[in-house]
Amino acid sequence: MASISLKYKSKQGSLTAPGDVDPGAMIPIATVTVGSGGASSIEFSSIPQSYEHLQIRGLGRSTIADTNDFAIIKFNSDSGANYTYHYLRGDGTSASAQGSGYGTSDYLRSAGFISGANATAQVFGTTIIDILDYTNTNKLKTIRTLTGKDANSNNADGRVYLFSMLWGSTSAITTITLTTQANWAQYSSFALYGVKRAGA
Amino acid sequence: MAYTYSKIATYTVGSGGVSSINFLNIPQNYTDLLIKFSGRGSGTSGVMRMQFNITTAGYSNRNLYGTGSAAGSESATGTSSFFSAVNSGNINWNSTTASTFSNMEIYIPNYTSSNYKSISTDAVVENNATLGYQFMNDGVLNINAPITQIDLITSGSETFVQYSTAHLYGIKAEL
């Protein structure tokens, strides 16, 4: 049976979906979309160890009785005081920064600025989380997150953040858990991607 | 669906370190380039600079940064490399938490065009302390030639330490 490579085909080409399609370097691994009733956590477990980097792209809203909330991330179910955080923040009026060394659960908030239940209806916070070299056991894990939301107003409930976080472990990341200070609201959705290295 | 995000090259620093990481003979068949860089320097400066096509003039740079306790913005023009406006901390340095490496993404759109070259980066430097850096940079290089070489360079006699990694990707748009 003849096959045709899509590798160099334009969209005008013959897209016959052969078995030798090169999917490129960024591969979707899993997506979680919260249904009616919400969810207490979003978890990616048994993460394949065959990629070089991970990226999570998502949008979120929580059920907390407030305007704003933060997505909380943890790795390999580690809830200990092994996470730092730092951020650069803009709220439409001014820029600010804050950070801390290793702390407990309050410091696990580097995964997204999201809406609470009192935020403008249907507004979700967006977030992109980059985790480099997640299987490298010679490195602690540094996470970079670009996140924000707007409130269709000029108040400080609209913000953008560049977060960073250090997970003080050299373990390969196999599980990622995302929570809020309450529950995830319906339609919150997060997708996990693997990014390959050259030669992989 | 055409594939749009392709791996071009990977460099992992071995024992002994290196003073620069060089991507040579970059393919000209993509729309944009993207580099994911996880780096740490051997010395006290924590500065990684970039040069394109071995060009040593004509860079300008503007940034927004956070230090863990304050936010600010800097700019510079007429510099010899990209990142010259940032004089500390765009990669981990030797007194930051051991085994900690920066997390940086460098985006170079339309790198084969005959216009000046724009560059943007997001970078973070983590540390078990109040001090930690976040950067959003944008810059331009006043050259018209397509980018065929990218050099990531440390400061002075410092090196990128073992396990630093740089990954070059090509992004192709549907045209």
Side-chain angles (χ1 to χ4, degrees), chain B residues 70-141:
Chain B
S73 181
E74 299 173 317
S75 66
T77 59
T79 56
S80 61
S81 61
F82 185 62
F83 272 144
S84 294
V86 179
N87 290 312
S88 63
N90 64 6
I91 61 172
N92 284 83
W93 59 96
N94 61 1
S95 62
T96 59
T97 304
S99 302
T100 303
F101 293 72
S102 66
N103 181 325
M104 180 183 299
E105 186 165 288
I106 303 158
Y107 188 62
I108 308 160
N110 215 9
Y111 71 106
T112 64
S113 84
S114 56
N115 295 321
Y116 290 171
K117 304 303 181 296
S118 296
I119 307 124
S120 67
T121 70
D122 296 336
V124 300
V125 178
E126 261 300 335
N127 190 28
N128 180 23
T130 299
L131 180 67
Y133 286 111
Q134 300 79 46
F135 293 100
M136 301 178 77
N137 287 68
D138 197 81
V140 67
L141 169 60

Side-chain angles (χ1 to χ4, degrees), chain A:
Chain A
M1 183 176 69
S3 63
I4 185 169
S5 173
L6 298 187
K7 191 170 183 179
Y8 301 108
K9 287 289 182 184
S10 71
K11 63 183 178 183
Q12 287 81 29
S14 177
L15 304 182
T16 55
D20 63 346
V21 171
D22 182 344
M26 186 169 173
I27 311 298
I29 298 174
T31 300
V32 177
T33 300
V34 175
S36 60
S40 59
S41 68
I42 292 171
E43 183 169 287
F44 298 107
S45 60
S46 302
I47 295 171
Q49 301 294 291
S50 52
Y51 299 99
E52 187 73 12
H53 314 301
L54 297 176
Q55 188 177 79
I56 298 172
R57 306 175 77 94
L59 72 169
R61 183 180 176 106
S62 91
T63 59
I64 194 171
D66 201 337
T67 308
N68 306 317
D69 199 356
F70 288 90
I72 300 166
I73 194 169
K74 63 182 176 185
F75 300 103
N76 296 4
S77 303
D78 179 8
S79 297
N82 301 312
Y83 300 84
T84 72
Y85 82 98
H86 295 84
Y87 69 68
L88 172 63
R89 163 184 147 163
D91 62 11
T93 303
S94 62
S96 59
Q98 188 170 309
S100 172
Y102 291 138
T104 54
S105 59
D106 284 344
Y107 301 117
L108 307 182
R109 296 182 171 182
S110 300
F113 181 61
I114 60 176
S115 296
N118 296 341
T120 304
Q122 302 180 50
V123 171
F124 291 70
T126 63
T127 189
I128 300 174
I129 304 166
D130 281 284
I131 308 167
L132 304 187
D133 295 335
Y134 71 105
T135 65
N136 192 320
T137 55
N138 296 298
K139 291 181 173 182
L140 307 182
K141 306 303 182 293
T142 298
I143 290 83
R144 174 173 45 86
T145 301
L146 184 61
T147 181
K149 69 180 181 74
D150 197 63
N152 195 24
S153 70
N154 291 324
N155 65 35
D157 291 332
R159 301 176 204 160
V160 61
Y161 287 87
L162 177 59
F163 276 115
S164 61
M165 184 181 74
L166 179 66
W167 180 40
S169 171
T170 56
S171 298
I173 293 173
T174 58
T175 300
I176 298 173
T177 308
L178 297 166
T179 58
T180 72
Q181 296 182 96
N183 287 327
W184 289 106
Q186 187 180 15
Y187 307 122
S188 296
S189 183
F190 288 82
L192 175 67
Y193 296 86
V195 181
K196 294 181 178 179
R197 63 182 289 151

